[in-house]
Amino acid sequence: MNINRLTQITLSLVLIVFTIAASNYMKNSVYRLENELKTIHRDIQTDIETIHVLNAEWSKLNNPARLRALVADHIKLNPLKAEQIINYSALPFNYESGESRKQIARRNIADYARHNRKLKKLANAER
């Protein structure tokens, strides 16, 4: 009976040690997960605050009055003239040697304007 009793005590001690080790491991895992959760909550709060700041900046930057003032300051466009409007077919697609694209485009636009009666009338009326 001594061997049975010794086996029971040894088995009980092994079970107690295993239980203590498992509970200690679980406790450390819970602490680690709680810290991770706190970090995630802190990151979420930081992101929410950043989104609020970005929305406020976006509203300020897209204020119509501010945009109108910027447009007035930085874009000084002349009114559109009739001779500036051309047909798509007047744009050059075949380039001849020795001429730049800009020269060909100007020549094509001038040819188109010379042949278009309505455009001539509009151009002459504006002058």
Side-chain angles (χ1 to χ4, degrees):
M1 283 224 202
N2 260 349
I3 295 178
N4 268 346
R5 184 78 177 149
L6 185 62
T7 307
Q8 284 179 346
I9 292 174
T10 307
L11 190 59
S12 297
L13 286 175
V14 168
L15 188 61
I16 289 171
V17 169
F18 178 74
T19 305
I20 290 171
S23 65
N24 198 11
Y25 175 77
M26 288 180 68
K27 180 184 79 167
N28 288 337
S29 295
V30 168
Y31 283 146
R32 186 177 39 81
L33 289 172
E34 283 178 344
N35 286 336
E36 188 177 333
L37 183 64
K38 286 178 186 176
T39 303
I40 289 172
H41 281 299
R42 192 177 326 114
D43 290 346
I44 288 172
Q45 190 62 33
T46 303
D47 289 345
I48 289 172
E49 291 170 4
T50 304
I51 288 171
H52 286 300
V53 169
L54 290 174
N55 282 334
E57 289 177 358
W58 184 256
S59 296
K60 179 186 174 195
L61 291 175
N62 284 327
N63 184 357
R66 179 185 167 277
L67 292 176
R68 267 188 234 105
L70 286 174
V71 166
D73 289 345
H74 297 292
I75 299 179
K76 306 286 187 201
L77 293 179
N78 296 325
L80 187 64
K81 296 178 183 174
E83 56 264 7
Q84 291 175 310
I85 301 172
I86 62 166
N87 190 349
Y88 184 74
S89 62
L91 295 175
F93 289 104
N94 296 327
Y95 301 109
E96 299 172 16
S97 62
E99 284 186 297
S100 70
R101 291 180 184 181
K102 192 174 188 179
Q103 291 170 335
I104 294 170
R106 283 184 180 162
R107 184 179 39 118
N108 286 351
I109 292 169
D111 290 343
Y112 181 76
R114 255 187 269 121
H115 293 49
N116 189 331
R117 290 181 188 166
K118 290 180 184 177
L119 189 56
K120 277 185 190 177
K121 287 179 185 176
L122 286 172
N124 289 335
E126 218 174 81
R127 291 179 188 157

